[in-house]
Amino acid sequence: LERARRTGTPFGLIVIDVDNLGELNDSYGPSIGDQVLRSLAATVTGERRVGEIGFTPRVEEIAGRYGGDELALLLPQAGKNDAAERAEQVRKDIVAHDFAGEGLPKVTVSIGFAAAPADGRHRHELVLAAALAVPAGKQAGRNRIVGYDPSLADKVEAMPERPSRGEGFRKDGIARLAALDRSIAQRSFHFHYQPIVDSRSGVITAYEALCRPTDPVFASPLELIHASETAGRVLP
């Protein structure tokens, strides 16, 4: 973002979500789901495509895991059209991949993309913009790419079955992500230590640490957890 502000060049962000991963885990077991994620990661990083025709990340592109079943690709110096082109390349590569050759079920992905500064001038805005486009792609039938549009916030809010981490897709999601970063940086948490008592002796043997956010944006620890999962910030 800082480089884009200095140079005036845009950049794109792609969020890649595995379609029906929950059903896949239920049918084949979570170990197969993990293997699928590793196989997709090999595509996004270019590890699997050495010497082959297919998606190849550019030197300046940065791939990473965004959430439980999502990958992300940062595209420096790429506008909205370039981000769309790269997203479609990833999607086609995954559709064409021989998962059966790896002993895995065939999967597809839904991909959301956004670009700065058009879709966001702060990281919270850009992440939320790309993430909002993903469920729109799933609702449209999965196995497709969707670019961010301001109207998506209302469409996702109205979906009858929103993702389990739907708190991050609310219209106030930007404020929550900003509050999350602020809370981590300022250590804005209170800890309450609940005693664990041996019922036979009445002696306190340990304490359970209960974490409470102090930022008023979070009405409960559950909202903090949802925001952390959405932003991929659980460990911090």
Side-chain angles (χ1 to χ4, degrees):
L1 278 165
E2 183 57 38
R3 179 168 61 185
R5 280 191 281 266
R6 288 198 315 266
T7 64
T9 55
F11 71 91
L13 176 65
I14 293 174
V15 173
I16 305 158
D17 187 290
V18 185
D19 291 330
N20 301 313
L21 184 64
E23 289 82 353
L24 187 150
N25 283 334
D26 290 342
S27 300
Y28 298 95
S31 62
I32 295 297
D34 287 343
Q35 291 179 48
V36 166
L37 286 171
R38 291 191 182 96
S39 182
L40 295 180
T43 292
V44 177
T45 60
E47 177 184 342
R48 188 170 60 196
R49 291 298 177 172
V50 176
E52 301 178 32
I53 298 174
F55 176 79
T56 302
R58 298 163 182 162
V59 174
E60 70 273 13
E61 294 177 348
I62 303 169
R65 191 172 184 179
Y66 169 64
D69 57 352
E70 292 179 324
L71 305 172
L73 191 63
L74 192 63
L75 312 172
Q77 302 179 27
K80 196 73 168 281
N81 290 338
D82 291 333
E85 182 180 333
R86 298 298 279 161
E88 181 62 9
Q89 288 173 352
V90 171
R91 189 197 66 79
K92 286 182 176 179
D93 203 354
I94 290 171
V95 168
H97 180 62
D98 180 18
F99 285 96
E102 300 179 20
L104 299 173
K106 186 174 182 61
V107 298
T108 60
V109 294
S110 295
I111 302 178
F113 63 92
D119 299 324
R121 295 181 177 274
H122 303 281
R123 64 178 180 270
H124 313 100
E125 296 173 345
L126 194 64
V127 167
L128 188 65
L132 275 170
V134 172
K138 290 183 180 295
Q139 188 187 44
R142 298 181 171 83
N143 187 29
R144 62 192 63 215
I145 68 170
V146 174
Y148 172 74
D149 181 270
S151 65
L152 287 179
D154 293 328
K155 292 178 181 177
V156 171
E157 189 71 15
M159 285 183 185
E161 293 184 8
R162 288 161 57 200
S164 60
R165 55 189 193 122
E167 198 71 38
F169 291 115
R170 293 175 53 160
K171 295 178 197 177
D172 58 354
I174 294 174
R176 290 179 183 278
L177 295 180
L180 177 64
D181 269 3
R182 185 168 61 244
S183 294
I184 293 172
Q186 299 176 359
R187 300 177 180 267
S188 301
F189 307 100
H190 279 160
F191 288 91
H192 299 271
Y193 296 91
Q194 180 170 287
I196 299 174
V197 181
D198 186 325
S199 60
R200 290 170 297 182
S201 65
V203 174
I204 295 175
T205 59
Y207 291 88
E208 179 183 11
L210 307 176
C211 178
R212 298 289 183 261
T214 60
D215 194 297
V217 168
F218 302 112
S220 72
L222 185 60
E223 293 188 4
L224 176 72
I225 292 170
H226 282 161
S228 300
E229 290 176 338
T230 299
R233 303 295 299 279
V234 173
L235 291 181

